[in-house]
Structure formats: structure tokens, C-alpha cells
Amino acid sequence: MHDAWWIELFGLGSREEENKETSIISNLQHCQMAMAMAMTSSLMLSTTCSFSFPSITICISFYNPNPSRRLALFHLLSGPFAIPQSQSLLFGVKGSELFRVAEANAAENLIQPEQNLFEWVKNDNRRFLHVVYRVGDLDKTIKFYTKCLGMKLLRKRDIPEERYTNSFLGYGPEDSNFTVELTYNYGVDKYDIGNGFGHLGVVVEDAAKAVDLIKAKGEKVIKEPGPVKGGSNRRDRT
Ligand SMILES: C[C@@H](O)C(=O)SC[C@H](NC(=O)CC[C@H](N)C(=O)O)C(=O)NCC(=O)O
């Protein structure tokens, strides 16, 4: 089994889509990841496949073929980083009905069924800002995120006096969207990765098409979509 660090993006579908399948094998190479900000999370149904790229493995989450409103949260999975995330108003009532905040550290962190998630989000505007990881080849990683995953390069900042360059990528402006911040340290072309962090995940409209595109771009899919080990991730209301 590879050292697995991955962030899974859990899509949200209708309640009917209970038969979730996710299989993720990831092997992050030459990268080190750090949390940028903590939030509370909801674990959602998704079907995920993953593929490797020199600096990180991305897990693509998708649903079984029935059309459904796909909503997404990043979920940072790992021992020390196993934290909750908050739902977003972007996902609407259907999303909020189905959202469940995964128990993170203690029972008091759990959103109780009677609590109104909209009130919570209105009264707390904290959100994920970015996740940072160091890469040995900035241009190659940017090309992967943009050409294969459709992200936009939002900005680059070169700090020659500190001998590093940061690049920010995402699916929207940083003032309202979670982004990936890539750090390139001059002259450092690889990193030893630990085994505590999970993975980075992306939700797409059609994962099969996304995987085909990624393969067509010459990237390697290390695990085709398939049954999740250990059953569904969905946390039904208790
Ligand atoms: C722009 C802002 O969002 C940042 O995150 S800069 C954070 C800063 N990054 C660096 O100094 C990059 C070079 C450094 N040698 C490194 O590899 O991190 C920073 O605080 N880095 C430390 C960290 O743990 O992220």
C-alpha cells in the first residue's frame, strides 16, 4: 500500500444514491502538505477514482449514473488533520438537508439535527482558505491542475529573497473559493512525504469523462472507480 495522503472531495447527491463506491489509493510523491485553515466538515457520498501525478495523487469523486445535484466539500483526511469542514450556502437547502457535520474531535462539535445549518453558517464566516503543498516541479504541476482538472492559475508570487515561488490555483476567486497553493523552493526538486495526510480531491460532473481526459493527457490513473472499502462514508442522521 502506498503512503496515502489525499483530500477527498465528497460530492452530495440525492438520498436515493446510497450505494456509494469509493476506492482511493494515493501515493503522494515529492510533496509536503500543510493545513492552511481548519473548519468543520461533512462527509458525503461519492464514488472516487484516483490517479497519480509526480507531486500528488488526486481523487476524483463522482456518483453513480443517476443525475443528481452534485455538491462538494473538501475533506482533509489524515490523523492529525482529521477535522470537520463547514457546509457552504452555495449548496442550497437540498445540500444543507443532506449535509451532516462529521464528528471531528468531540460530541459538542457535532451539529445536532435540530440546529439550523443556515444560522450557523450566517453567524460564522470562517471557511477553508487554501491548502499548501510543496512541489518539485511547479510548471508541471500547474499544467496538470489546469489542463487535466480545469483549475485556473489565479496568481503567482515569486519571493527571490526567500528563494521560493508560490502559485495559487482553484475553481474561482480566492475571496470565495478554496484554493491550492503550490510552493516551489528554488533548487528543491523532490520531497519526502509522510504518511499522515490524506489526499486532495475534486468533484466533476462526469468522472468517467474526466478520467478519460486525464488519461488522454498522458497522466496515469492508479485506481479506476470501484467499490469503497469498508462500506459507505455517509453518516446517516442518528
Ligand atoms: C501567501 C501565503 O498564503 C502563504 O501561505 S506563504 C507561507 C509561507 N511559505 C513559504 O515561506 C514558502 C517557502 C518556504 N521555504 C516553505 O517551503 O514553506 C510559510 O509560512 N511556509 C511555511 C508553511 O508551513 O507553509
Side-chain angles (χ1 to χ4, degrees), residues 34 130 132 134 155 157 164 166 168 181 183 185:
H130 52 236
V132 181
R134 303 177 182 93
R155 63 183 167 113
R157 57 193 285 275
Y164 77 89
N166 275 348
F168 294 76
E181 175 182 338
T183 293
N185 284 297

Side-chain angles (χ1 to χ4, degrees), residues 127-194:
R127 66 177 179 85
F128 265 129
L129 178 61
H130 52 236
V131 65
V132 181
Y133 75 89
R134 303 177 182 93
V135 295
D137 185 328
L138 192 55
D139 291 338
K140 199 171 178 184
T141 309
I142 290 170
K143 181 169 175 279
F144 174 72
Y145 277 56
T146 52
K147 302 295 180 213
C148 291
L149 297 177
M151 289 186 197
K152 293 274 186 287
L153 175 59
L154 302 167
R155 63 183 167 113
K156 257 185 152 177
R157 57 193 285 275
D158 187 39
I159 317 291
E161 61 275 21
E162 297 294 330
R163 295 179 51 74
Y164 77 89
T165 305
N166 275 348
S167 290
F168 294 76
L169 298 104
Y171 291 107
E174 289 177 76
D175 59 5
S176 55
N177 288 266
F178 179 80
T179 56
V180 178
E181 175 182 338
L182 306 175
T183 293
Y184 171 71
N185 284 297
Y186 292 4
V188 181
D189 62 2
K190 62 180 178 181
Y191 290 89
D192 295 326
I193 59 172

Side-chain angles (χ1 to χ4, degrees), residues 11-17 45-46 62-71 94 98 203-206:
L12 180 71
S14 63
R15 282 186 184 281
E16 293 70 49
E17 289 171 349
L45 282 177
S46 68
F62 67 103
Y63 277 101
N64 296 312
N66 358 14
S68 68
R69 187 162 171 212
R70 292 195 171 84
L71 309 161
K94 185 166 182 59
L98 298 177
V203 70
V204 293
E205 275 308 309
D206 182 326

